[in-house]
């Protein structure tokens, strides 16, 4: 992976803004995309990305199980920064078959069924949009969970066969929140209700200030299972 090492060297001293500008230039505006689930990290990156080039691509996965407050922050973000999200939906027939067969709350029955739900609602639509690019940008940070401690600023994503860029990989939660406050970035109101990592409504709950950030996601599972397939194989 000489190319990966070369990229790591080029990015070593770059801050998140510089990293995104470098990525847009290196891969081309049509061949790189930012993934947003409207987390505080994604909102920081969205502001930077939309400010860098208003035709830069930003997508979101609409699983059909989001909180209303998540849609509210999506609306405010579009209006504030004046761009359109590429909205990726799961396939109707796959949702219908899954809910008919396993029920609407299948994710509570076993890890396998939870992963099936994530696969159909998130991973397949994700695979489809990522097949159109050579790199994607994500808001992952090392200190978010035990599954993310080996994260690098740029990785080769073996799952999707493209580069994955994590401009905030070494930021703390406080750095993210300071950026949000200083730049008046739209923020999901659920953070005010004690949520610290927000996904689908039935699989997310508030956590305490001193708890692991991801402990409110799929809280009925053990910590080392807590990825949905989107970030399942962090590269070294
Ligand atoms: Fe399904 Fe929950 Fe995964 Fe959303 S987070 S896709 S509801 S299992």
């Amino acid at each position: 992976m000489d190319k990966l090492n070369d990229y790591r060297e080029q990015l070593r001293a770059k801050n998140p803004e510089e990293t995104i500008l470098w990525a847009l230039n290196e891969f081309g505006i049509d061949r790189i995309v930012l993934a947003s689930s409207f987390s505080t990290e994604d909102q920081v990156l969205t502001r930077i990305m939309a400010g860098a080039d208003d035709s830069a691509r930003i997508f979101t996965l609409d699983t059909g199980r989001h909180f209303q407050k998540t849609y509210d922050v999506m609306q405010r973000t579009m209006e504030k920064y004046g761009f359109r999200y590429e909205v990726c939906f799961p396939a109707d027939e796959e949702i219908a078959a899954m809910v008919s067969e396993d029920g609407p709350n299948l994710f509570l029955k076993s890890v396998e069924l939870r992963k099936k739900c994530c696969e159909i609602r998130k991973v397949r639509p994700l695979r489809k949009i990522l097949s159109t690019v050579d790199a994607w940008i994500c808001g992952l940070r090392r200190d978010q969970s035990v599954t993310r401690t080996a994260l690098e600023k740029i990785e080769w994503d073996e799952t999707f066969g493209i580069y994955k860029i994590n401009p905030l990989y070494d930021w703390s939660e406080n750095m993210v929140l300071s950026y949000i406050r200083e730049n008046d970035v739209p923020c999901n109101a659920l953070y005010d209700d004690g949520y610290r990592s927000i996904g689908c409504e039935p699989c997310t709950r508030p956590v305490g200030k001193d708890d692991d950030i991801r402990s409110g996601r799929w809280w009925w599972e053990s910590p080392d299972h807590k990825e949905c397939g989107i970030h399942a194989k962090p590269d070294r």
Side-chain angles (χ1 to χ4, degrees):
M1 294 245 71
D2 287 348
K3 191 86 177 171
L4 180 60
N5 289 331
D6 179 39
Y7 283 162
R8 284 183 175 158
E9 197 51 42
Q10 289 186 50
L11 287 171
R12 188 171 304 282
K14 294 195 189 306
N15 65 28
E17 284 91 348
E18 293 165 340
T19 298
I20 285 179
L21 284 174
W22 174 90
L24 291 171
N25 185 56
E26 175 66 25
F27 295 102
I29 198 93
D30 293 328
R31 298 295 300 176
I32 185 162
V33 70
L34 167 64
S36 176
S37 63
F38 315 104
S39 66
T40 47
E41 291 83 4
D42 296 342
Q43 292 298 95
V44 168
L45 296 177
T46 295
R47 179 183 184 272
I48 296 171
M49 190 89 161
D53 192 317
D54 57 14
S55 59
R57 298 176 63 188
I58 305 175
F59 78 90
T60 188
L61 303 174
D62 190 336
T63 64
R65 302 297 302 250
H66 287 330
F67 292 87
Q68 177 57 38
K69 286 179 178 175
T70 299
Y71 291 114
D72 292 342
V73 73
M74 176 180 176
Q75 187 79 42
R76 281 189 283 128
T77 306
M78 292 169 71
E79 289 169 4
K80 175 154 187 163
Y81 298 125
F83 69 95
R84 292 181 177 184
Y85 287 98
E86 295 181 41
V87 184
C88 307
F89 291 95
D92 289 348
E93 64 280 7
E94 291 181 354
I95 293 289
M98 176 178 73
V99 176
S100 298
E101 189 173 331
D102 302 308
N105 296 331
L106 72 163
F107 36 78
L108 297 174
K109 291 162 66 177
S110 68
V111 172
E112 289 66 36
L113 284 174
R114 196 274 291 167
K115 288 187 173 173
K116 177 179 177 179
C117 187
C118 284
E119 167 74 19
I120 288 175
R121 291 186 188 274
K122 295 180 179 178
V123 179
R124 290 181 191 171
L126 177 69
R127 202 174 287 130
K128 195 168 166 189
I129 190 162
L130 293 187
S131 70
T132 69
V133 296
D134 301 311
W136 62 315
I137 302 172
C138 302
L140 302 185
R141 294 186 298 103
R142 279 183 172 172
D143 70 4
Q144 281 170 324
S145 77
V146 293
T147 58
R148 296 181 179 175
T149 53
L151 203 66
E152 296 285 349
K153 193 182 288 183
I154 185 166
E155 306 177 327
W156 176 252
D157 187 333
E158 289 180 14
T159 305
F160 301 107
I162 59 176
Y163 288 98
K164 180 153 84 171
I165 298 165
N166 308 301
L168 305 181
Y169 81 113
D170 59 349
W171 276 33
S172 66
E173 187 180 26
N174 280 339
M175 289 168 76
V176 174
L177 296 178
S178 295
Y179 185 99
I180 294 273
R181 274 194 302 274
E182 285 162 16
N183 296 284
D184 195 24
V185 177
C187 202
N188 195 326
L190 289 169
Y191 288 104
D192 297 332
D193 303 333
Y195 291 83
R196 291 172 70 206
S197 171
I198 302 167
C200 295
E201 188 273 337
C203 300
T204 307
R205 70 176 181 179
V207 296
K209 204 165 109 2
D210 298 323
D211 291 341
D212 182 278
I213 291 175
R214 299 271 294 174
S215 62
R217 305 288 294 278
W218 310 295
W219 58 92
W220 59 91
E221 296 181 5
S222 75
D224 50 358
H225 286 143
K226 289 192 182 186
E227 294 291 355
C228 58
I230 289 178
H231 305 296
K233 289 184 178 177
D235 180 53
R236 249 123 319 259

